[in-house]
Short mmCIF file of all heavy atoms in Angstrom, two decimals:
data_model
loop_
_atom_site.label_atom_id
_atom_site.label_comp_id
_atom_site.label_asym_id
_atom_site.label_seq_id
_atom_site.Cartn_x
_atom_site.Cartn_y
_atom_site.Cartn_z
N MET A 1 51.73 -21.44 -23.59
CA MET A 1 51.87 -21.57 -22.20
C MET A 1 52.05 -23.09 -21.89
O MET A 1 51.30 -24.00 -22.43
CB MET A 1 50.62 -21.04 -21.42
CG MET A 1 50.62 -21.39 -19.99
SD MET A 1 49.57 -20.49 -18.93
CE MET A 1 47.94 -21.12 -19.43
N TYR A 2 53.04 -23.36 -21.08
CA TYR A 2 53.34 -24.75 -20.71
C TYR A 2 52.49 -25.22 -19.60
O TYR A 2 52.36 -24.53 -18.64
CB TYR A 2 54.80 -24.95 -20.31
CG TYR A 2 55.08 -26.32 -19.80
CD1 TYR A 2 55.28 -27.38 -20.76
CD2 TYR A 2 55.23 -26.59 -18.46
CE1 TYR A 2 55.59 -28.71 -20.25
CE2 TYR A 2 55.57 -27.90 -18.00
CZ TYR A 2 55.72 -28.91 -18.93
OH TYR A 2 55.99 -30.17 -18.46
N MET A 3 51.89 -26.35 -19.70
CA MET A 3 51.10 -26.98 -18.61
C MET A 3 51.65 -28.34 -18.23
O MET A 3 51.95 -29.12 -19.10
CB MET A 3 49.60 -27.04 -18.98
CG MET A 3 48.97 -25.77 -19.25
SD MET A 3 47.19 -25.96 -19.61
CE MET A 3 46.62 -26.63 -18.14
N ALA A 4 51.92 -28.44 -16.98
CA ALA A 4 52.50 -29.77 -16.49
C ALA A 4 51.46 -30.80 -16.61
O ALA A 4 50.19 -30.56 -16.66
CB ALA A 4 52.93 -29.61 -14.97
N PRO A 5 51.83 -32.06 -16.65
CA PRO A 5 50.89 -33.09 -16.81
C PRO A 5 49.95 -33.22 -15.46
O PRO A 5 50.53 -32.86 -14.43
CB PRO A 5 51.64 -34.40 -16.96
CG PRO A 5 53.09 -34.04 -16.53
CD PRO A 5 53.26 -32.57 -16.77
N ILE A 6 48.77 -33.62 -15.60
CA ILE A 6 47.97 -33.82 -14.50
C ILE A 6 48.34 -34.94 -13.69
O ILE A 6 48.56 -36.06 -14.20
CB ILE A 6 46.52 -33.97 -15.08
CG1 ILE A 6 46.08 -32.71 -15.80
CG2 ILE A 6 45.54 -34.16 -13.80
CD1 ILE A 6 44.70 -32.84 -16.51
N THR A 7 48.55 -34.73 -12.39
CA THR A 7 48.94 -35.80 -11.49
C THR A 7 47.96 -35.93 -10.31
O THR A 7 47.15 -35.00 -10.16
CB THR A 7 50.36 -35.52 -10.94
OG1 THR A 7 50.30 -34.32 -10.25
CG2 THR A 7 51.33 -35.41 -12.00
N ARG A 8 48.05 -37.09 -9.70
CA ARG A 8 47.05 -37.23 -8.56
C ARG A 8 47.57 -36.42 -7.38
O ARG A 8 48.83 -36.45 -7.09
CB ARG A 8 47.09 -38.72 -8.24
CG ARG A 8 46.13 -39.11 -7.20
CD ARG A 8 46.12 -40.59 -6.86
NE ARG A 8 45.96 -41.32 -8.15
CZ ARG A 8 45.21 -42.47 -8.26
NH1 ARG A 8 44.65 -42.87 -7.25
NH2 ARG A 8 45.03 -42.97 -9.45
N ALA A 9 46.74 -35.80 -6.73
CA ALA A 9 47.08 -35.06 -5.47
C ALA A 9 47.47 -35.92 -4.38
O ALA A 9 46.93 -36.96 -4.18
CB ALA A 9 45.94 -34.19 -5.01
N LYS A 10 48.64 -35.52 -3.68
CA LYS A 10 49.02 -36.41 -2.49
C LYS A 10 48.43 -35.82 -1.27
O LYS A 10 48.21 -34.60 -1.09
CB LYS A 10 50.60 -36.23 -2.43
CG LYS A 10 51.26 -36.96 -3.60
CD LYS A 10 52.79 -37.04 -3.35
CE LYS A 10 53.46 -35.81 -3.06
NZ LYS A 10 54.86 -35.84 -2.88
N ALA A 11 48.17 -36.69 -0.33
CA ALA A 11 47.63 -36.20 0.98
C ALA A 11 48.77 -35.51 1.69
O ALA A 11 49.99 -35.80 1.63
CB ALA A 11 47.26 -37.47 1.77
N PRO A 12 48.48 -34.49 2.50
CA PRO A 12 49.56 -33.77 3.20
C PRO A 12 50.02 -34.63 4.32
O PRO A 12 49.41 -35.42 4.88
CB PRO A 12 48.67 -32.50 3.86
CG PRO A 12 47.27 -32.92 3.79
CD PRO A 12 47.14 -33.82 2.54
N PRO A 13 51.35 -34.41 4.65
CA PRO A 13 51.94 -35.23 5.73
C PRO A 13 51.30 -34.98 7.03
O PRO A 13 50.71 -33.93 7.30
CB PRO A 13 53.37 -34.76 5.73
CG PRO A 13 53.43 -33.53 4.99
CD PRO A 13 52.27 -33.43 4.12
N SER A 14 51.34 -35.98 7.94
CA SER A 14 50.66 -35.87 9.19
C SER A 14 51.35 -34.78 10.06
O SER A 14 52.54 -34.47 9.86
CB SER A 14 50.63 -37.21 9.88
OG SER A 14 51.91 -37.63 10.27
N ALA A 15 50.70 -34.43 11.14
CA ALA A 15 51.33 -33.46 12.13
C ALA A 15 52.53 -34.06 12.82
O ALA A 15 53.48 -33.31 13.03
CB ALA A 15 50.32 -33.09 13.10
N ILE A 16 52.57 -35.32 13.01
CA ILE A 16 53.67 -35.92 13.67
C ILE A 16 54.92 -35.90 12.79
O ILE A 16 56.07 -35.58 13.21
CB ILE A 16 53.34 -37.39 14.15
CG1 ILE A 16 52.25 -37.45 15.09
CG2 ILE A 16 54.56 -38.16 14.59
CD1 ILE A 16 51.74 -38.87 15.44
N VAL A 17 54.82 -36.13 11.49
CA VAL A 17 55.89 -36.14 10.55
C VAL A 17 56.40 -34.70 10.50
O VAL A 17 57.57 -34.45 10.45
CB VAL A 17 55.40 -36.59 9.19
CG1 VAL A 17 56.48 -36.41 8.17
CG2 VAL A 17 55.08 -38.14 9.35
N ARG A 18 55.48 -33.69 10.30
CA ARG A 18 55.96 -32.34 10.18
C ARG A 18 56.65 -31.86 11.45
O ARG A 18 57.72 -31.22 11.39
CB ARG A 18 54.65 -31.40 9.99
CG ARG A 18 54.01 -31.49 8.64
CD ARG A 18 53.07 -30.36 8.45
NE ARG A 18 52.10 -30.21 9.53
CZ ARG A 18 50.87 -30.51 9.53
NH1 ARG A 18 50.39 -31.14 8.52
NH2 ARG A 18 50.09 -30.26 10.58
N ARG A 19 56.19 -32.30 12.62
CA ARG A 19 56.85 -31.88 13.88
C ARG A 19 58.22 -32.53 14.00
O ARG A 19 59.21 -31.90 14.51
CB ARG A 19 56.02 -32.15 15.02
CG ARG A 19 54.83 -31.11 15.06
CD ARG A 19 54.10 -31.33 16.36
NE ARG A 19 52.95 -30.38 16.33
CZ ARG A 19 51.66 -30.66 16.73
NH1 ARG A 19 51.35 -31.96 17.18
NH2 ARG A 19 50.69 -29.78 16.61
N THR A 20 58.27 -33.86 13.57
CA THR A 20 59.58 -34.51 13.70
C THR A 20 60.59 -33.90 12.76
O THR A 20 61.76 -33.68 13.15
CB THR A 20 59.40 -36.02 13.27
OG1 THR A 20 58.40 -36.59 14.20
CG2 THR A 20 60.71 -36.79 13.40
N VAL A 21 60.17 -33.58 11.48
CA VAL A 21 61.05 -32.95 10.63
C VAL A 21 61.45 -31.58 11.00
O VAL A 21 62.67 -31.15 10.97
CB VAL A 21 60.48 -32.92 9.13
CG1 VAL A 21 61.26 -32.04 8.23
CG2 VAL A 21 60.35 -34.37 8.57
N GLY A 22 60.54 -30.86 11.63
CA GLY A 22 60.81 -29.50 12.09
C GLY A 22 61.73 -29.49 13.26
O GLY A 22 62.73 -28.67 13.39
N ALA A 23 61.61 -30.57 14.16
CA ALA A 23 62.47 -30.73 15.34
C ALA A 23 63.91 -31.02 14.90
O ALA A 23 64.87 -30.71 15.62
CB ALA A 23 61.89 -31.77 16.31
N ILE A 24 64.12 -31.66 13.72
CA ILE A 24 65.43 -31.88 13.32
C ILE A 24 66.03 -30.72 12.59
O ILE A 24 67.20 -30.33 12.70
CB ILE A 24 65.39 -33.09 12.38
CG1 ILE A 24 65.00 -34.37 13.13
CG2 ILE A 24 66.76 -33.34 11.60
CD1 ILE A 24 64.78 -35.60 12.35
N ALA A 25 65.11 -30.03 11.86
CA ALA A 25 65.55 -28.86 10.94
C ALA A 25 66.03 -27.71 11.80
O ALA A 25 66.98 -26.95 11.49
CB ALA A 25 64.44 -28.55 9.95
N VAL A 26 65.25 -27.43 12.83
CA VAL A 26 65.59 -26.18 13.64
C VAL A 26 66.94 -26.19 14.32
O VAL A 26 67.76 -25.24 14.07
CB VAL A 26 64.42 -25.97 14.73
CG1 VAL A 26 64.87 -24.85 15.67
CG2 VAL A 26 63.15 -25.57 14.00
N PRO A 27 67.43 -27.40 14.96
CA PRO A 27 68.78 -27.29 15.41
C PRO A 27 69.94 -27.28 14.32
O PRO A 27 70.85 -26.61 14.52
CB PRO A 27 68.91 -28.62 16.19
CG PRO A 27 67.53 -28.97 16.53
CD PRO A 27 66.61 -28.41 15.43
N VAL A 28 69.62 -27.95 13.25
CA VAL A 28 70.56 -27.87 12.12
C VAL A 28 70.71 -26.47 11.64
O VAL A 28 71.75 -25.95 11.36
CB VAL A 28 70.08 -28.83 11.00
CG1 VAL A 28 70.92 -28.62 9.76
CG2 VAL A 28 70.20 -30.32 11.47
N ALA A 29 69.60 -25.76 11.53
CA ALA A 29 69.60 -24.33 11.04
C ALA A 29 70.37 -23.51 12.06
O ALA A 29 71.17 -22.59 11.69
CB ALA A 29 68.19 -23.84 10.86
N GLY A 30 70.18 -23.74 13.43
CA GLY A 30 70.92 -23.03 14.36
C GLY A 30 72.45 -23.25 14.27
O GLY A 30 73.21 -22.39 14.41
N VAL A 31 72.82 -24.52 13.99
CA VAL A 31 74.20 -24.88 13.91
C VAL A 31 74.76 -24.14 12.71
O VAL A 31 75.96 -23.73 12.69
CB VAL A 31 74.48 -26.40 13.82
CG1 VAL A 31 75.80 -26.69 13.30
CG2 VAL A 31 74.11 -27.12 15.18
N VAL A 32 74.05 -23.97 11.71
CA VAL A 32 74.50 -23.26 10.53
C VAL A 32 74.61 -21.83 10.72
O VAL A 32 75.56 -21.07 10.33
CB VAL A 32 73.68 -23.56 9.26
CG1 VAL A 32 74.03 -22.80 8.12
CG2 VAL A 32 73.85 -25.07 8.92
N MET A 33 73.58 -21.19 11.43
CA MET A 33 73.43 -19.80 11.57
C MET A 33 74.38 -19.17 12.64
O MET A 33 74.84 -18.04 12.54
CB MET A 33 72.03 -19.37 11.92
CG MET A 33 71.14 -19.48 10.70
SD MET A 33 71.62 -18.40 9.33
CE MET A 33 71.37 -16.82 10.05
N VAL A 34 74.73 -19.96 13.74
CA VAL A 34 75.47 -19.49 14.75
C VAL A 34 76.85 -18.94 14.40
O VAL A 34 77.32 -17.82 14.66
CB VAL A 34 75.50 -20.41 15.92
CG1 VAL A 34 76.62 -20.01 16.92
CG2 VAL A 34 74.24 -20.46 16.65
N PRO A 35 77.62 -19.72 13.61
CA PRO A 35 78.96 -19.25 13.10
C PRO A 35 78.76 -18.01 12.19
O PRO A 35 79.64 -17.15 12.27
CB PRO A 35 79.50 -20.45 12.36
CG PRO A 35 78.80 -21.68 12.84
CD PRO A 35 77.43 -21.12 13.24
N PHE A 36 77.78 -18.09 11.32
CA PHE A 36 77.54 -16.93 10.54
C PHE A 36 77.23 -15.64 11.34
O PHE A 36 77.91 -14.60 11.02
CB PHE A 36 76.33 -17.16 9.52
CG PHE A 36 75.88 -15.90 8.79
CD1 PHE A 36 76.72 -15.41 7.70
CD2 PHE A 36 74.79 -15.28 9.12
CE1 PHE A 36 76.32 -14.39 7.00
CE2 PHE A 36 74.36 -14.09 8.44
CZ PHE A 36 75.08 -13.65 7.41
N LEU A 37 76.36 -15.71 12.24
CA LEU A 37 76.07 -14.58 13.07
C LEU A 37 77.28 -14.15 13.93
O LEU A 37 77.50 -12.91 14.17
CB LEU A 37 74.90 -14.89 14.00
CG LEU A 37 73.60 -15.09 13.34
CD1 LEU A 37 72.49 -15.46 14.31
CD2 LEU A 37 73.16 -13.77 12.50
N ALA A 38 78.09 -15.10 14.39
CA ALA A 38 79.27 -14.70 15.20
C ALA A 38 80.28 -13.95 14.30
O ALA A 38 80.87 -12.93 14.68
CB ALA A 38 79.90 -16.03 15.79
N GLY A 39 80.40 -14.41 13.10
CA GLY A 39 81.34 -13.73 12.09
C GLY A 39 80.82 -12.38 11.74
O GLY A 39 81.62 -11.42 11.71
N TYR A 40 79.48 -12.28 11.62
CA TYR A 40 78.95 -10.99 11.25
C TYR A 40 79.11 -10.00 12.52
O TYR A 40 79.35 -8.82 12.33
CB TYR A 40 77.42 -11.18 10.94
CG TYR A 40 76.87 -9.84 10.33
CD1 TYR A 40 77.26 -9.45 9.07
CD2 TYR A 40 75.96 -9.03 11.05
CE1 TYR A 40 76.69 -8.30 8.47
CE2 TYR A 40 75.49 -7.94 10.59
CZ TYR A 40 75.85 -7.58 9.23
OH TYR A 40 75.29 -6.41 8.70
N ALA A 41 78.85 -10.47 13.71
CA ALA A 41 79.03 -9.68 14.92
C ALA A 41 80.56 -9.23 15.03
O ALA A 41 80.80 -8.09 15.45
CB ALA A 41 78.68 -10.45 16.17
N LEU A 42 81.44 -10.07 14.73
CA LEU A 42 82.91 -9.72 14.74
C LEU A 42 83.15 -8.62 13.73
O LEU A 42 83.92 -7.65 13.99
CB LEU A 42 83.73 -10.99 14.47
CG LEU A 42 85.21 -10.76 14.59
CD1 LEU A 42 85.64 -10.35 15.93
CD2 LEU A 42 85.92 -12.05 14.17
N TYR A 43 82.63 -8.78 12.58
CA TYR A 43 82.83 -7.82 11.53
C TYR A 43 82.16 -6.54 11.98
O TYR A 43 82.86 -5.42 11.82
CB TYR A 43 82.16 -8.29 10.23
CG TYR A 43 81.96 -7.11 9.15
CD1 TYR A 43 83.08 -6.68 8.49
CD2 TYR A 43 80.66 -6.70 8.96
CE1 TYR A 43 82.90 -5.61 7.57
CE2 TYR A 43 80.53 -5.61 8.10
CZ TYR A 43 81.56 -5.11 7.34
OH TYR A 43 81.45 -4.15 6.41
N ALA A 44 81.00 -6.43 12.47
CA ALA A 44 80.35 -5.15 12.95
C ALA A 44 81.11 -4.54 14.12
O ALA A 44 81.30 -3.35 14.04
CB ALA A 44 78.90 -5.46 13.25
N GLY A 45 81.52 -5.34 15.00
CA GLY A 45 82.40 -4.80 16.08
C GLY A 45 83.69 -4.11 15.65
O GLY A 45 84.01 -3.08 16.13
N THR A 46 84.35 -4.77 14.71
CA THR A 46 85.55 -4.22 14.14
C THR A 46 85.33 -2.94 13.35
O THR A 46 86.00 -1.94 13.56
CB THR A 46 86.20 -5.22 13.12
OG1 THR A 46 86.43 -6.48 13.79
CG2 THR A 46 87.51 -4.65 12.51
N VAL A 47 84.23 -2.82 12.61
CA VAL A 47 83.88 -1.57 11.93
C VAL A 47 83.48 -0.52 12.89
O VAL A 47 84.03 0.69 12.67
CB VAL A 47 82.67 -1.90 10.87
CG1 VAL A 47 82.32 -0.59 10.27
CG2 VAL A 47 83.21 -2.84 9.75
N LEU A 48 82.69 -0.85 13.87
CA LEU A 48 82.36 0.14 14.88
C LEU A 48 83.65 0.67 15.61
O LEU A 48 83.75 1.85 15.95
CB LEU A 48 81.29 -0.31 15.86
CG LEU A 48 79.95 -0.49 15.18
CD1 LEU A 48 78.94 -1.12 16.19
CD2 LEU A 48 79.40 0.81 14.76
N ALA A 49 84.57 -0.22 15.92
CA ALA A 49 85.79 0.20 16.65
C ALA A 49 86.57 1.07 15.82
O ALA A 49 87.19 2.11 16.26
CB ALA A 49 86.56 -1.09 17.07
N LEU A 50 86.72 0.74 14.48
CA LEU A 50 87.50 1.65 13.68
C LEU A 50 86.92 2.99 13.46
O LEU A 50 87.63 4.01 13.44
CB LEU A 50 87.78 0.91 12.34
CG LEU A 50 88.62 -0.30 12.30
CD1 LEU A 50 88.66 -0.97 10.89
CD2 LEU A 50 89.92 0.02 12.75
N ARG A 51 85.60 3.01 13.30
CA ARG A 51 84.92 4.33 13.24
C ARG A 51 85.11 5.12 14.54
O ARG A 51 85.24 6.32 14.49
CB ARG A 51 83.43 4.11 12.96
CG ARG A 51 83.06 3.60 11.60
CD ARG A 51 81.66 3.39 11.38
NE ARG A 51 80.88 4.61 11.32
CZ ARG A 51 79.64 4.68 11.29
NH1 ARG A 51 78.94 3.63 11.21
NH2 ARG A 51 79.06 5.93 11.26
N GLY A 52 85.03 4.38 15.69
CA GLY A 52 85.21 5.09 17.04
C GLY A 52 86.64 5.62 17.08
O GLY A 52 86.87 6.67 17.64
N LEU A 53 87.66 4.85 16.59
CA LEU A 53 89.04 5.41 16.66
C LEU A 53 89.22 6.62 15.90
O LEU A 53 89.98 7.48 16.25
CB LEU A 53 90.02 4.31 16.24
CG LEU A 53 90.28 3.16 17.20
CD1 LEU A 53 91.20 2.08 16.45
CD2 LEU A 53 90.89 3.75 18.48
N ARG A 54 88.58 6.67 14.77
CA ARG A 54 88.66 7.84 13.83
C ARG A 54 88.11 9.08 14.51
O ARG A 54 88.59 10.16 14.31
CB ARG A 54 87.95 7.56 12.47
CG ARG A 54 88.25 8.60 11.50
CD ARG A 54 87.63 8.25 10.18
NE ARG A 54 86.20 8.41 10.30
CZ ARG A 54 85.22 7.96 9.46
NH1 ARG A 54 85.65 7.34 8.43
NH2 ARG A 54 84.08 8.19 9.62
N ALA A 55 87.03 8.90 15.20
CA ALA A 55 86.35 10.03 15.79
C ALA A 55 86.86 10.34 17.29
O ALA A 55 86.39 11.22 17.89
CB ALA A 55 84.84 9.79 15.85
N ALA A 56 87.69 9.43 17.70
CA ALA A 56 88.12 9.61 19.17
C ALA A 56 88.86 10.96 19.47
O ALA A 56 88.46 11.46 20.55
CB ALA A 56 89.07 8.46 19.53
N PRO A 57 89.67 11.51 18.78
CA PRO A 57 90.28 12.72 19.07
C PRO A 57 89.36 13.87 19.24
O PRO A 57 89.41 14.69 20.23
CB PRO A 57 91.31 13.03 17.95
CG PRO A 57 91.61 11.69 17.39
CD PRO A 57 90.34 10.87 17.57
N ARG A 58 88.37 13.94 18.31
CA ARG A 58 87.39 15.02 18.35
C ARG A 58 86.48 14.77 19.65
O ARG A 58 86.15 15.70 20.26
CB ARG A 58 86.47 14.97 17.12
CG ARG A 58 85.55 16.02 17.14
CD ARG A 58 84.67 16.00 15.89
NE ARG A 58 83.63 17.07 15.86
CZ ARG A 58 82.59 17.08 15.09
NH1 ARG A 58 82.48 16.13 14.19
NH2 ARG A 58 81.69 18.00 15.19
N ALA A 59 86.06 13.55 19.90
CA ALA A 59 85.27 13.16 21.06
C ALA A 59 85.90 13.57 22.40
O ALA A 59 85.33 14.14 23.22
CB ALA A 59 84.88 11.69 21.04
N VAL A 60 87.26 13.25 22.40
CA VAL A 60 87.96 13.61 23.63
C VAL A 60 88.04 15.10 23.89
O VAL A 60 87.87 15.69 24.90
CB VAL A 60 89.40 12.97 23.71
CG1 VAL A 60 90.25 13.53 24.75
CG2 VAL A 60 89.29 11.44 23.76
N GLY A 61 88.34 15.83 22.71
CA GLY A 61 88.34 17.28 22.86
C GLY A 61 86.98 17.88 23.21
O GLY A 61 86.95 18.74 24.07
N GLU A 62 85.88 17.26 22.81
CA GLU A 62 84.55 17.83 23.22
C GLU A 62 84.37 17.42 24.66
O GLU A 62 83.67 18.24 25.40
CB GLU A 62 83.48 17.19 22.37
CG GLU A 62 83.45 17.68 20.92
CD GLU A 62 82.41 17.01 20.04
OE1 GLU A 62 81.72 16.16 20.55
OE2 GLU A 62 82.37 17.39 18.87
N ILE A 63 84.77 16.22 25.16
CA ILE A 63 84.59 15.92 26.57
C ILE A 63 85.37 17.02 27.42
O ILE A 63 84.88 17.42 28.53
CB ILE A 63 85.11 14.49 26.77
CG1 ILE A 63 84.17 13.46 26.12
CG2 ILE A 63 85.29 14.23 28.32
CD1 ILE A 63 84.66 12.09 26.03
N VAL A 64 86.67 17.26 26.99
CA VAL A 64 87.40 18.22 27.85
C VAL A 64 86.80 19.51 27.83
O VAL A 64 86.68 20.23 28.90
CB VAL A 64 88.84 18.19 27.32
CG1 VAL A 64 89.64 19.36 27.93
CG2 VAL A 64 89.51 16.89 27.52
N ASP A 65 86.27 19.98 26.71
CA ASP A 65 85.59 21.28 26.60
C ASP A 65 84.40 21.32 27.44
O ASP A 65 84.13 22.34 28.18
CB ASP A 65 85.25 21.61 25.12
CG ASP A 65 84.73 23.05 24.90
OD1 ASP A 65 85.26 23.84 25.58
OD2 ASP A 65 83.96 23.13 24.06
N TYR A 66 83.54 20.28 27.38
CA TYR A 66 82.33 20.23 28.23
C TYR A 66 82.69 20.24 29.76
O TYR A 66 82.02 20.95 30.51
CB TYR A 66 81.54 19.02 27.88
CG TYR A 66 80.29 18.90 28.75
CD1 TYR A 66 79.10 19.71 28.52
CD2 TYR A 66 80.17 17.94 29.65
CE1 TYR A 66 78.04 19.59 29.28
CE2 TYR A 66 79.06 17.83 30.46
CZ TYR A 66 77.93 18.73 30.22
OH TYR A 66 76.76 18.55 31.02
N ALA A 67 83.68 19.52 30.13
CA ALA A 67 84.05 19.47 31.50
C ALA A 67 84.51 20.83 31.97
O ALA A 67 84.28 21.28 33.13
CB ALA A 67 85.24 18.46 31.76
N GLY A 68 85.27 21.59 31.13
CA GLY A 68 85.66 22.89 31.43
C GLY A 68 84.48 23.90 31.55
O GLY A 68 84.50 24.71 32.49
N GLU A 69 83.49 23.78 30.72
CA GLU A 69 82.31 24.53 30.84
C GLU A 69 81.55 24.35 32.12
O GLU A 69 81.04 25.27 32.80
CB GLU A 69 81.37 24.36 29.67
CG GLU A 69 81.81 24.94 28.36
CD GLU A 69 80.79 24.72 27.20
OE1 GLU A 69 79.70 24.26 27.52
OE2 GLU A 69 81.12 24.96 26.06
N VAL A 70 81.46 22.99 32.54
CA VAL A 70 80.72 22.68 33.69
C VAL A 70 81.43 23.29 34.98
O VAL A 70 80.85 23.79 35.85
CB VAL A 70 80.56 21.15 33.76
CG1 VAL A 70 80.12 20.68 35.21
CG2 VAL A 70 79.65 20.65 32.75
N LEU A 71 82.79 23.10 34.98
CA LEU A 71 83.45 23.63 36.16
C LEU A 71 83.67 25.10 36.16
O LEU A 71 83.57 25.70 37.27
CB LEU A 71 84.86 22.97 36.16
CG LEU A 71 84.80 21.40 36.36
CD1 LEU A 71 86.16 20.83 36.30
CD2 LEU A 71 84.25 21.09 37.75
N VAL A 72 83.95 25.75 35.03
CA VAL A 72 84.18 27.16 35.16
C VAL A 72 82.92 28.04 34.76
O VAL A 72 82.70 29.14 35.23
CB VAL A 72 85.33 27.50 34.02
CG1 VAL A 72 85.58 28.96 33.92
CG2 VAL A 72 86.58 26.80 34.39
N GLY A 73 82.10 27.42 33.97
CA GLY A 73 80.87 28.22 33.48
C GLY A 73 81.14 28.62 32.06
O GLY A 73 82.29 28.51 31.45
N ARG A 74 80.20 29.26 31.51
CA ARG A 74 80.30 29.70 30.05
C ARG A 74 80.94 31.00 29.95
O ARG A 74 80.94 31.94 30.38
CB ARG A 74 78.91 29.75 29.41
CG ARG A 74 78.40 28.35 29.31
CD ARG A 74 77.02 28.29 28.60
NE ARG A 74 76.56 26.99 28.66
CZ ARG A 74 76.03 26.33 27.67
NH1 ARG A 74 75.96 26.91 26.50
NH2 ARG A 74 75.59 25.20 27.79
#
């Protein structure tokens, strides 16, 4: 089993440093994620639209059939 050399423990960074780094990292992450999420939303919308187009004739037929049942009765 490999064991790393023993080193002196470092003190954890202060709260001010952590908050400053976090305040910089969060907007950067947002700038990176927004285009990705927009692309993913575009992809999902396209796939749902194509699935809807495929099912549209049957859906329209069911709508017309239901409207006839409501107006005329069973």
Side-chain angles (χ1 to χ4, degrees):
M1 170 167 71
Y2 174 76
M3 293 184 63
I6 299 172
T7 59
R8 185 180 305 219
K10 295 190 303 183
S14 69
I16 294 172
V17 171
R18 287 193 314 254
R19 288 187 182 136
T20 303
V21 171
I24 295 169
V26 169
V28 170
V31 167
V32 171
M33 285 300 294
V34 166
F36 170 76
L37 292 175
Y40 192 72
L42 183 63
Y43 165 74
T46 303
V47 169
L48 289 174
L50 291 175
R51 290 177 69 187
L53 284 175
R54 189 179 71 193
R58 181 177 178 199
V60 169
E62 290 177 1
I63 291 168
V64 169
D65 188 37
Y66 178 73
E69 283 183 12
V70 169
L71 294 174
V72 178
R74 294 181 185 229

